[in-house]
Amino acid sequence: MRDSELVVDCRDPERLAAFWCAVLDFKVIDRNEGKVEIGSWVPTVEDVRARQMPPTLQFIQVPGGKTVKNRLHLDLRSIDGSTEDEVTRLLALGATTTDVGQGSDRNWVVRADPEGNEFDVLRTLAP
C-alpha cells in the first residue's frame, strides 16, 4: 500500500488546480469532466508500473462550497526564499489570510486557497 493522491472536493477543479500548480510548480497530469489531477511531473506508464510516481493532488467537482475548517491540510515550506516572500507570492496567486485560532505567537501562518481550504506556511529552510 502507498499514498497515491490527496483528493480535494471543490466547486471549480480547473481554477483550484491552476492555483496549486502555480503554488507548487506542479503540472496537470490528467483531466476529465469535473476532475483535474496535478503532480510534480507527468509519469510514464513505466514509472507508474515501477511505483516511481510521487503522490498527486486531485480536484473533484462537487456541489456546494466548503462550510467548516479542514480536517486535513497541507504544510508548505519555502526551500529557497524567505517565509515573508513566499507568503507575499501566495497572496498574489490568490491565497487569502485566514484565522483558525492559531494565535500570533506561532512561527507559521495559515492561508487559504481560492475556495477557502486552509494550508500552513512554515518557517523557511533557506539559509
Side-chain angles (χ1 to χ4, degrees), residues 4 21 64:
S4 176
C21 277

Side-chain angles (χ1 to χ4, degrees), residues 100-118:
V100 293
Q102 68 269 19
S104 60
D105 60 339
R106 303 287 186 223
N107 63 359
W108 43 268
V109 296
V110 179
R111 295 298 179 254
D113 71 16
E115 289 202 17
N117 299 298
E118 299 93 2

